[in-house]
Amino acid sequence: MSLLSVNNIEVIYNDVILVLKGMSLDVPEGKIVTLLGANGAGKTTTLKAISGLLKAEDGEVTDGNITFMGQEINKRDAEDIVKSGIFQVMEGRRIFKELTVTENLIVGGHTRKDRGNIKRDIDMVFSYFPRLKERFRQVAGYMSGGEQQMLAIGRALMAKPRLMLMDEPSLGLAPLLVKEIFEIIERINKEEKTTILLVEQNANLALRIADYGYIMESGKVMMDGDTTDLLNNPDVKEFYLGLSDVGQKKSYRDVKHYKRRKRWLS
Amino acid sequence: MDFLLQLLISGIVVGSIYALVALGFVLIYKATGVINFAQGEFLTVGAYVCLALVAQLQFPFWLAFLFTLVVAVLMGMLIERVALRPMIGEPIISIIMLTIGLSSVLKGGVMMIWGPNNRAYPQIFSQVPIHVGPVVISQIYLWSVGFAALFLLIFTLFFKFSSAGIAMRATADDQQAALSMGISVKKVFGMAWCIAALVSAVGGILVGNINGVNISLGFFGLKVFPAVILGGLDSIPGAIIGGLIIGMLEAIAAGYIDPLVGGGMKEVIPFMVLVVILMVKPYGFFGTEEIEKV
């Protein structure tokens, strides 16, 4: 049985703006699942619907349901959802700028009952991110973007979640750093047995580390499958990986095919 | 020289009380973004409740003091729950107007129960002054500084080391991110109002013991504005330092300028400072504009 399943949800902002129109996905225990799609497709909204952060933005799940470990969670408050084991790493890092690195990590473990282990887990986070250890007393706002992203992931690790929702961890980072972050995401999945739902713009990397992928367009899933299948799918190749034939750069002459070939767009 | 020293000491005493009340003010502003115009009335209520317990119900002072703190916390909780929470998401100006209304309601309530007359605490601290070198300090002053410092220390440690305190600072920093950590933002707001009411009540009791109690004690709370503007609206160390500086300035103005102009400078100086500070350093000494990495 899957750890998380989103069944046919509809999300409305401010009572009028319909963002998700029958969105469904399944996240099996222990896997990495990635959710891809263009800007405005509703990826972040999907994550926020799961983590309960939608309510703080006047958003509402009006139809369908979300179940986590067999229990319906779409009516619960964000803090209950965090307590039940879902933790969202928000887009744009959102570290607490005026707190030190260590304090940020402590806040990450806010909902934990076993306060005695916090110290040990801070060391665990430092073993994943040695660079944070060097800066443990620094005010987080002055760190580089890459370090802030590491801190954001470290903060999530502190909560010991069963399911980690990651919203564009590669945003605004240099390619080498992106690679490093993705390797760490893979390690977290293997070593901490954390299930991961990964939203990304960098489709290539995301499909390479994930087991299963969903592709969203305007509020619902248009395509899904094992990542090996998706990587070989000609449409995915063209629209998400930027290749027309394997290994070949796309010529501007072929651009006119765009409308005709993107057939999952109605 | 002795005169100056004497002035500075009384300035520090009053300033430490300003600092305490300013702490509450800054806390609400930092955590919830609300400028609380009812802060001065929290002071009045604290002073009257403690006085009623001591003078009318004959409680021993220590017990009355603790009991007043409990009342203050309950009052803070109630106000947050009933008046402020339904306003979450409303425009900030409405919320500020609400706190102004709140201040009138509290003032009216105190008038209704205790009347408009001046009252004085029964003598609680020994009146034998203490001589430190050339300076004479009354015991109530020492107690006031001691209490104020104690509470300031407690809360500084609370924000630095306790997990609730760190969670409060995190919420002040980024509310939505705090929500995603599983922090209950509502609880944090409630806690901010409770702490603000508590420190103000302590301030009220101390001022009441020094100057007596009357309905215009709320104006003492108004002096907190220059203090927090000087220190920076969202800085806790700033509130403490701003409070002390304003207290000392006041005392010096009272000692040196008042005799020349025939009085009143003491009341004016803090607000003159306020205007100057707003002109040259609008974020105060320690206020953050925002850490922004370019």
Side-chain angles (χ1 to χ4, degrees):
Chain A
M1 203 190 80
S2 53
L3 183 65
L4 173 88
S5 65
V6 174
N7 306 313
N8 219 7
I9 58 167
E10 207 175 79
V11 166
I12 293 183
Y13 279 112
N14 281 326
D15 295 329
V16 280
I17 307 159
L18 181 65
V19 186
L20 297 186
K21 312 156 185 169
M23 170 73 197
S24 301
L25 62 79
D26 270 304
V27 182
E29 173 107 55
K31 303 282 186 199
I32 301 180
V33 173
T34 183
L35 181 58
L36 307 172
N39 289 326
K43 307 184 295 293
T44 299
T45 303
T46 308
L47 291 194
K48 284 185 175 165
I50 298 168
S51 64
L53 291 181
L54 213 55
K55 294 175 194 91
E57 304 185 329
D58 256 346
E60 201 188 346
V61 178
T62 49
D63 200 10
N65 67 5
I66 301 170
T67 59
F68 179 64
M69 298 196 296
Q71 289 186 321
E72 193 172 306
I73 57 167
N74 46 306
K75 297 216 168 49
R76 294 203 202 157
D77 281 340
E79 44 171 314
D80 285 342
I81 294 174
V82 175
K83 277 183 198 143
S84 70
I86 299 180
F87 197 99
Q88 178 171 2
V89 181
M90 288 168 78
E91 183 176 2
R93 312 186 263 273
R94 302 294 283 270
I95 48 126
F96 299 112
K97 295 193 190 73
E98 283 163 32
L99 273 56
T100 65
V101 169
T102 310
E103 285 170 345
N104 264 284
L105 294 176
I106 292 172
V107 177
H110 184 79
T111 50
R112 300 238 325 239
K113 297 270 184 301
D114 52 337
R115 299 234 146 248
N117 293 333
I118 294 246
K119 182 95 199 36
R120 188 198 67 203
D121 288 339
I122 289 179
D123 287 336
M124 180 266 291
V125 170
F126 286 161
S127 75
Y128 277 102
F129 303 105
R131 228 176 313 170
L132 293 182
K133 186 170 188 172
E134 292 162 24
R135 292 168 195 260
F136 72 104
R137 287 175 75 173
Q138 193 178 338
V139 174
Y142 294 116
M143 296 201 305
S144 76
E147 288 159 351
Q148 292 190 1
Q149 186 63 56
M150 292 174 185
L151 182 56
I153 297 175
R155 203 168 56 173
L157 277 171
M158 289 301 295
K160 295 245 156 201
R162 298 266 305 250
L163 171 65
M164 215 186 267
L165 312 173
M166 294 195 156
D167 200 349
E168 294 202 31
S170 74
L171 187 78
L173 300 185
L176 262 180
L177 212 54
V178 173
K179 220 169 138 247
E180 193 183 329
I181 296 274
F182 272 66
E183 278 163 16
I184 287 168
I185 294 174
E186 260 187 300
R187 264 181 67 200
I188 290 171
N189 172 250
K190 296 224 163 57
E191 291 168 22
E192 309 296 322
K193 310 266 177 274
T194 310
T195 310
I196 291 171
L197 174 56
L198 174 68
V199 160
E200 254 302 329
Q201 292 285 356
N202 191 333
N204 197 0
L205 267 175
L207 287 172
R208 268 166 227 289
I209 68 163
D211 302 290
Y212 200 85
Y214 288 87
I215 295 176
M216 278 185 89
E217 287 284 354
S218 51
K220 52 184 129 176
V221 172
M222 282 302 167
M223 189 188 262
D224 64 310
D226 287 332
T227 44
T228 40
D229 297 340
L230 288 176
L231 276 168
N232 290 322
N233 181 299
D235 286 334
V236 174
K237 263 190 208 162
E238 177 157 356
F239 301 120
Y240 288 96
L241 307 179
L243 305 163
S244 51
D245 291 311
V246 183
Q248 290 225 314
K249 236 177 114 182
K250 193 166 168 57
S251 156
Y252 282 111
R253 204 191 303 169
D254 304 326
V255 167
K256 65 180 173 203
H257 293 296
Y258 186 82
K259 276 213 169 91
R260 204 186 69 221
R261 288 200 44 199
K262 200 170 181 181
R263 58 178 163 259
W264 66 76
L265 231 193
S266 51
Chain B
M1 193 61 206
D2 291 353
F3 182 55
L4 178 66
L5 220 55
Q6 191 81 54
L7 286 177
L8 284 181
I9 284 171
S10 70
I12 287 173
V13 171
V14 178
S16 62
I17 301 173
Y18 285 152
L20 199 57
V21 182
L23 171 79
F25 185 90
V26 166
L27 191 60
I28 289 183
Y29 178 74
K30 216 170 141 66
T32 72
V34 172
I35 292 181
N36 177 22
F37 280 91
Q39 192 79 19
E41 271 60 41
F42 286 2
L43 205 94
T44 318
V45 171
Y48 270 100
V49 168
C50 188
L51 178 66
L53 291 173
V54 172
Q56 293 173 334
L57 299 176
Q58 307 288 334
F59 276 40
F61 179 69
W62 299 107
L63 196 59
F65 185 81
L66 290 177
F67 207 82
T68 307
L69 298 190
V70 174
V71 172
V73 167
L74 290 177
M75 178 181 75
M77 212 184 287
L78 186 79
I79 287 175
E80 195 275 333
R81 201 57 234 255
V82 175
L84 273 302
R85 194 169 295 178
M87 298 294 284
I88 290 179
E90 300 294 330
I92 196 74
I93 186 75
S94 322
I95 305 181
I96 291 174
M97 295 310 285
L98 185 136
T99 67
I100 294 177
L102 200 64
S103 109
S104 296
V105 170
L106 289 175
K107 198 184 276 180
V110 169
M111 283 267 251
M112 232 160 66
I113 302 174
W114 287 289
N117 297 329
N118 276 334
R119 285 151 180 265
Y121 272 83
Q123 189 198 328
I124 290 159
F125 302 102
S126 158
Q127 277 185 325
V128 183
I130 292 173
H131 294 267
V132 184
V135 185
V136 186
I137 309 171
S138 66
Q139 287 201 15
I140 168 74
Y141 274 29
L142 282 179
W143 280 106
S144 289
V145 172
F147 266 120
L150 177 71
F151 276 88
L152 289 173
L153 182 71
I154 288 174
F155 283 109
T156 309
L157 295 178
F158 170 78
F159 289 123
K160 192 73 200 153
F161 297 110
S162 79
S163 91
I166 295 175
M168 278 184 88
R169 279 162 58 215
T171 311
D173 198 328
D174 186 336
Q175 230 176 74
Q176 226 202 356
L179 208 60
S180 82
M181 303 287 124
I183 293 171
S184 167
V185 173
K186 285 176 197 157
K187 266 189 212 148
V188 167
F189 282 15
M191 210 148 60
W193 281 87
C194 288
I195 294 176
L198 183 139
V199 291
S200 303
V202 174
I205 296 170
L206 297 179
V207 182
N209 269 297
I210 296 175
N211 288 343
V213 179
N214 63 39
I215 197 69
S216 62
L217 214 54
F219 288 119
F220 193 92
L222 210 60
K223 294 271 185 58
V224 165
F225 280 92
V228 293
I229 297 284
L230 183 68
L233 258 180
D234 56 357
S235 162
I236 290 168
I240 297 171
I241 293 168
L244 289 173
I245 292 178
I246 293 293
M248 287 192 279
L249 271 179
E250 241 185 39
I252 289 172
Y256 286 109
I257 308 178
D258 273 2
L260 302 178
V261 297
M265 249 349 238
K266 175 175 181 274
E267 309 298 325
V268 178
I269 271 283
F271 293 95
M272 283 164 64
V273 172
L274 173 92
V275 171
V276 172
I277 289 290
L278 280 176
M279 282 194 300
V280 296
K281 213 165 179 342
Y283 290 94
F285 288 148
F286 302 96
T288 38
E289 292 181 39
E290 199 176 330
I291 296 176
E292 208 167 344
K293 220 163 53 64
V294 185

